[in-house]
Amino acid sequence: MLLLKDIVKDYRVGERIFRALKGINLEFHQGEFVAILGPSGCGKTTTLNIIGGLDRYTSGDLVINGTSTKNFKEQDWDAYRNNSIGFVFQSYNLISHLSVLDNVELGMKLSGIGAAERREKAMAVLKRVGLESQVHKRPTKLSGGEKQRVAIARALLNDPDIILADEPTGALDSTTAHEILNLIQEISKEKLVIMVTHARTYAEEYASRIVELKDGEVIADSGSTVPPCPDEGYEPKKTSMSFFTALKLSFNNLRTKKFRTVVTALASSIGIIGVGLVLSISNGFSNQLSEIEQEQLVGLPILIGREQMSIGFDQAGATAYIPEDPEENEIVVWDPDSTLHTNVFTAEFLNHLESLDEEVYTNIHYEFGYIPTILTERDGTPEIMDLSQLGFSNFVVPEDDLARYYDLKAGTFPTNPTEVVLLMDEYSVLERDIIEALGYDPDETLYYEDVLGKELYVALNDDLYVEQAGGVFLPNFTDLQSVVDGGVTITIVGLVEATEDALEYGNEGIKYLYDLKTDLLAQNSGSDICVAQQNSNQSVFDLTALTDEEKEQVLSFIGCNDSNPFLIQIYTDSVEHKEAIKEHIALFNADRDIDDKIFETDLAEAIGETLGTLITSISVVLSAFASISLVVSSVMIGVIIYISVLERTKEIGIIRSLGGRKKDISRVFNAESVIIGAFAGLLGIAITFVLTFPINALAVNYDESLANVAQVNVIHLILLVIISTILTFIGGFIPSRLAARKDPVEALRVE
Ligand code: ADP
Ligand code: MG
């Protein structure tokens, strides 16, 4: 069944060639127990390794069941070792991190036999060698004889035709040696056993045939004692290790090096932690940003000004200049000047705005050019206040929610248009000029109660403007008391400071409800000066000629019209409603010429977008820095895997001797790097998650609005584990390839 035809083996030693086997001719049959005897270095192991397909002959032929092996490929040899050969070595060659049972089963795992059948067969052979009670032990816990029994059980598992034993008793005491030899002799009844020994007594006592080698040549052969069976041909079953088996092998190996594995994973998780933290902080920021947009910026109204400034090309005003479907090769001309769009508030548009669904807005404010004249009393005498110092303006936040935007320091919030509040800066700071304008002496200490209840008087046109001869109107500066008496009295009912939500800075002074201005406009619209101006194309103040536009401006200035706003502010309470308002405006714009369209500005959105872009760019840059450590760790994994390859060289030899392919070896080490990578990734995201707590705690300490600044995103975490695994796989790839290329004979020789 086995024929060695003129087998020659040359070893290259440096420059010269050493001929270890000088033409071996031997024929073996089933049922033989062949002992190969000879002095050390005569070529016994080499012969055995060539017979077992672990080593290649230089010339000659090895014929298996009538099939020549001259054209065997790598995989054929792998399959041959797995199906037909069982090796038993002097040094047992068991994998120390696997149990007895797993060691025995390994060969069958390579041939892809189901778990149940594997277990059954493994238990059967272990029982046959008398070890059924020790199957879960590690080989290190066994005696030498027991280890050799495990090795024999492993050799028997796939029911090979040939058992090759290289000095199997070399490391055993004589009693144990006899036990092992008895076992091998019994096995030889069904199989071909070829055993290398240098103990002639054992050979003579147990073997059925003795072959003697010397200097690479057969010098004696006692001849075959059994009749040859006809050769049945040879067809081996291909082997393949499943990735799961590779994982288990590597996992068990790593378990024996827990400390190193944890330290390695920890080190390579640093990059993951870096990227993870950057991502979670940017995630936290983005979440907070949309929250701010939802809750705080939503208080900012949509602005529709007469002059609509454009901030960039992306503004509605600019993109609107792009034709709806430009031709494929058309170059679109864009004139930056054209983006400065003038909104024309036609009656049609104002009516369209009136038809806005009441559900979607809280208030619509129209700003007119009217600047009221306000008087106060200083030491009992009325005087006109300097409005440019006073900051006299209406609230820019929703009026039904004033308490959210302003801290009330004294008094109450206004409940009707004749009640106003004084807005101060933080720490109740007020500018000198404002105090002065209010009619107080800034050099004297002023208290809240001095200001509470203070009355101001808004002049009405008919009291303020007196018609002179020639149709010119002049302000009645001589009798201010009568202007005060006829004017609208407004009272400061409260003192407030803006909260952060109000987004209001440097806007201190008198704040009034929006309705005050509309009331005043209503009262003034029928005044003498308004009627006169409406009916004349000359200025009522100095009789200069006015264009239509200038006339509108004068009318606005003296509070005569309420149909020509220069700014419209639409307040709403949610992002969805804001969208609805924009859609309503878009509806007006549909099918209109660009010049007739109305463009709005949504500051909240613009602020949000700008901040969002900023956060994204910052996180990209930071992630890139953190990624450098990812690359470093994948190089480190490469080194670690390389060390592991060196440590597990013996295991490589064992797996190869059991029929493992080169591919299976690289699979084992790839599995190792995948395990480390996945572990590092999981460790990294766990640490990232844990770190978000102290980071958030510190951030909150620093600034309350930074609560939850670090928020992990599950998808990011999953991606990070995958990236870590892939990077370590890449890092371990080259060492795994090196492992696969190792010569199995050399690998087995390593101690
Ligand atoms: P033994 O009979 O002791 O088992 P071996 O078969 O191991 O002898 O070795 C036979 C001869 O071949 C020895 O001289 C040994 O030094 C040499 N030899 C074995 N393997 C190699 C190798 N890989 N490279 C060079 N020489 C080798
Ligand atoms: Mg030897």
Side-chain angles (χ1 to χ4, degrees):
M1 70 186 289
L2 204 61
L3 183 61
L4 282 72
K5 275 185 7 199
D6 227 6
I7 294 279
V8 169
K9 177 66 181 177
D10 290 336
Y11 284 117
R12 179 181 286 276
V13 184
E15 285 295 290
R16 47 182 275 273
I17 296 208
F18 173 74
R19 182 151 290 190
L21 298 181
K22 300 166 179 164
I24 304 274
N25 286 290
L26 283 169
E27 190 172 356
F28 301 111
H29 304 298
Q30 188 167 353
E32 278 187 325
F33 185 173
V34 183
I36 298 182
L37 276 174
S40 187
C42 70
K44 304 182 296 291
T45 299
T46 306
T47 310
L48 215 57
N49 285 344
I50 286 175
I51 293 173
L54 214 50
D55 209 348
R56 303 286 167 272
Y57 46 84
T58 310
S59 70
D61 194 6
L62 175 71
V63 182
I64 309 161
N65 281 341
T67 305
S68 164
T69 57
K70 271 186 176 154
N71 297 321
F72 262 33
K73 295 194 185 66
E74 242 354 287
Q75 300 113 290
D76 297 318
W77 285 115
D78 295 337
Y80 168 64
R81 281 198 306 281
N82 186 260
N83 302 175
S84 309
I85 302 291
F87 277 104
V88 178
F89 305 95
Q90 177 179 352
S91 54
Y92 327 121
N93 285 343
L94 301 174
I95 297 173
S96 58
H97 58 77
L98 292 182
S99 71
V100 165
L101 189 59
D102 284 336
N103 262 291
V104 172
E105 281 187 15
L106 194 56
M108 237 180 202
K109 280 181 180 163
L110 292 165
S111 48
I113 286 162
E117 189 186 345
R118 209 163 60 211
R119 179 63 40 106
E120 195 185 311
K121 290 220 164 122
M123 288 306 291
V125 290
L126 279 165
K127 192 169 176 189
R128 180 159 179 202
V129 301
L131 280 179
E132 70 265 45
S133 59
Q134 322 252 33
V135 298
H136 295 299
K137 283 189 181 166
R138 290 283 149 107
T140 43
K141 299 276 185 304
L142 300 179
S143 70
E146 286 169 328
K147 283 185 201 167
Q148 200 55 293
R149 283 166 194 273
V150 176
I152 291 170
R154 179 179 63 189
L156 288 175
L157 185 75
N158 269 344
D159 196 20
D161 298 328
I162 304 161
I163 299 287
L164 302 175
D166 194 352
E167 307 206 26
T169 58
L172 303 175
D173 62 75
S174 80
T175 321
T176 319
H178 280 290
E179 283 170 23
I180 296 294
L181 286 167
N182 268 317
L183 185 59
I184 294 177
Q185 190 181 41
E186 200 187 301
I187 291 163
S188 73
K189 284 173 190 155
E190 324 138 26
K191 299 181 187 302
L192 166 61
V193 174
I194 304 173
M195 178 179 80
V196 165
T197 178
H198 49 231
R200 185 172 289 273
T201 47
Y202 290 160
E204 282 168 351
E205 188 177 345
Y206 292 96
S208 64
R209 173 179 172 187
I210 298 178
V211 173
E212 285 185 65
L213 293 188
K214 197 176 174 220
D215 292 337
E217 282 175 307
V218 178
I219 52 160
D221 183 355
S222 69
S224 184
T225 50
V226 293
C229 319
D231 284 334
E232 293 152 6
Y234 172 74
E235 211 171 308
K237 228 177 86 219
K238 294 265 152 70
T239 63
S240 151
M241 185 193 279
S242 73
F243 194 69
F244 181 75
T245 302
L247 271 180
K248 190 174 171 189
L249 267 175
S250 288
F251 184 72
N252 277 324
N253 173 53
L254 289 175
R255 271 209 324 205
T256 63
K257 297 168 197 147
K258 287 193 194 81
F259 182 73
R260 191 174 83 187
T261 308
V262 169
V263 171
T264 310
L266 208 58
S268 43
S269 69
I270 289 170
I272 296 288
I273 296 171
V275 178
L277 283 181
V278 170
L279 288 178
S280 58
I281 288 175
S282 104
N283 185 41
F285 264 125
S286 308
N287 284 353
Q288 225 159 24
L289 200 64
S290 53
E291 237 167 68
I292 288 173
E293 222 181 323
Q294 286 278 348
E295 288 175 9
Q296 307 192 9
L297 293 183
V298 89
L300 289 179
I302 291 177
L303 303 175
I304 311 173
R306 225 184 272 153
E307 285 274 301
Q308 196 68 38
M309 271 265 291
S310 129
I311 304 171
F313 184 74
D314 277 347
Q315 284 296 103
T319 41
Y321 285 85
I322 295 172
E324 245 157 51
D325 40 5
E327 278 173 58
E328 206 172 321
N329 302 322
E330 183 183 342
I331 295 174
V332 179
V333 179
W334 175 64
D335 175 6
D337 294 338
S338 66
T339 59
L340 204 65
H341 179 83
T342 306
N343 286 327
V344 182
F345 295 145
T346 56
E348 203 180 346
F349 174 68
L350 296 176
N351 285 337
H352 180 79
L353 217 49
E354 289 293 312
S355 73
L356 184 60
D357 182 0
E358 276 181 34
E359 291 279 301
V360 301
Y361 68 95
T362 48
N363 270 305
I364 299 181
H365 288 179
Y366 299 90
E367 294 287 335
F368 305 98
Y370 171 51
I371 297 173
T373 303
I374 302 172
L375 298 95
T376 185
E377 274 170 348
R378 185 192 295 268
D379 308 325
T381 23
E383 65 175 36
I384 293 177
M385 300 172 79
D386 183 353
L387 282 200
S388 63
Q389 302 297 346
L390 196 55
F392 190 80
S393 59
N394 59 315
F395 292 106
V396 291
V397 300
E399 289 178 357
D400 47 11
D401 201 9
L402 288 177
R404 179 179 153 191
Y405 298 98
Y406 298 101
D407 277 338
L408 193 61
K409 307 304 279 189
T412 60
F413 283 113
T415 50
N416 68 63
T418 61
E419 294 180 345
V420 297
V421 293
L422 178 61
L423 172 64
M424 304 177 289
D425 209 341
E426 248 183 309
Y427 311 110
S428 303
V429 172
L430 260 191
E431 238 179 86
R432 242 186 125 76
D433 290 343
I434 295 177
I435 292 173
E436 181 100 50
L438 279 171
Y440 299 105
D441 182 351
D443 295 321
E444 278 175 25
T445 314
L446 191 64
Y447 297 96
Y448 293 163
E449 46 289 13
D450 299 331
V451 179
L452 276 184
K454 164 104 181 162
E455 290 184 341
L456 306 174
Y457 314 96
V458 186
L460 291 176
N461 284 353
D462 280 341
D463 300 319
L464 186 62
Y465 297 111
V466 186
E467 189 170 4
Q468 313 288 311
V472 176
F473 283 80
L474 284 180
N476 177 13
F477 288 143
T478 51
D479 186 8
L480 286 179
Q481 192 58 51
S482 73
V483 179
V484 166
D485 292 344
V488 176
T489 306
I490 54 176
T491 314
I492 298 176
V493 296
L495 287 94
V496 298
E497 285 174 11
T499 66
E500 268 175 49
D501 281 5
L503 297 165
E504 190 165 333
Y505 297 101
N507 196 19
E508 290 73 41
I510 300 294
K511 302 294 138 195
Y512 56 86
L513 294 176
Y514 172 73
D515 283 347
L516 176 64
K517 241 180 179 178
T518 44
D519 282 0
L520 293 173
L521 281 171
Q523 292 193 48
N524 281 331
S525 60
S527 60
D528 292 346
I529 188 170
C530 286
V531 174
Q533 183 63 73
Q534 250 136 19
N535 294 332
S536 164
N537 287 329
Q538 290 175 312
S539 164
V540 290
F541 294 111
D542 54 14
L543 300 179
T544 53
L546 297 174
T547 63
D548 282 356
E549 204 175 314
E550 285 165 343
K551 180 173 155 180
E552 282 293 326
Q553 278 167 11
V554 174
L555 282 169
S556 282
F557 174 72
I558 49 183
C560 304
N561 70 25
D562 57 3
S563 59
N564 188 26
F566 69 88
L567 177 66
I568 303 171
Q569 295 170 301
I570 309 174
Y571 291 87
T572 184
D573 51 9
S574 77
V575 173
E576 291 73 33
H577 286 165
K578 205 166 231 179
E579 289 311 313
I581 295 167
K582 289 183 193 171
E583 270 166 38
H584 188 73
I585 297 170
L587 195 67
F588 175 81
N589 289 338
D591 298 330
R592 263 170 224 272
D593 272 354
I594 184 76
D595 286 340
D596 298 335
K597 288 191 185 188
I598 298 289
F599 294 118
E600 79 281 350
T601 302
D602 182 357
L603 276 179
E605 194 182 63
I607 293 171
E609 269 172 20
T610 313
L611 287 179
T613 318
L614 195 70
I615 289 171
T616 311
S617 5
I618 291 175
S619 7
V620 166
V621 171
L622 290 181
S623 298
F625 279 121
S627 309
I628 293 170
S629 50
L630 279 180
V631 174
V632 171
S633 50
S634 83
V635 171
M636 194 173 67
I637 293 287
V639 174
I640 294 286
I641 297 292
Y642 185 67
I643 292 171
S644 184
V645 167
L646 295 182
E647 283 175 351
R648 296 174 78 183
T649 302
K650 186 112 189 178
E651 195 176 329
I652 295 172
I654 295 167
I655 295 172
R656 292 304 305 276
S657 78
L658 289 171
R661 301 165 305 165
K662 287 183 173 174
K663 226 187 237 176
D664 299 326
I665 301 298
S666 51
R667 214 168 249 193
V668 168
F669 290 97
N670 283 335
E672 182 162 329
S673 47
V674 163
I675 293 173
I676 296 179
F679 183 47
L682 289 172
L683 204 63
I685 63 169
I687 294 174
T688 303
F689 180 69
V690 171
L691 281 180
T692 57
F693 293 97
I695 287 176
N696 285 334
L698 281 176
V700 152
N701 232 349
Y702 178 70
D703 186 332
E704 232 166 89
S705 67
L706 288 178
N708 284 326
V709 70
Q711 281 177 27
V712 293
N713 176 329
V714 179
I715 294 175
H716 289 168
L717 296 189
I718 294 171
L719 277 177
L720 281 177
V721 175
I722 295 173
I723 289 172
S724 162
T725 312
I726 292 174
L727 281 179
T728 49
F729 180 82
I730 293 170
F733 190 74
I734 292 170
S736 300
R737 288 278 299 249
L738 290 177
R741 294 223 190 102
K742 269 196 192 295
D743 175 13
V745 179
E746 299 278 336
L748 279 170
R749 205 176 285 146
V750 170
E751 280 311 319

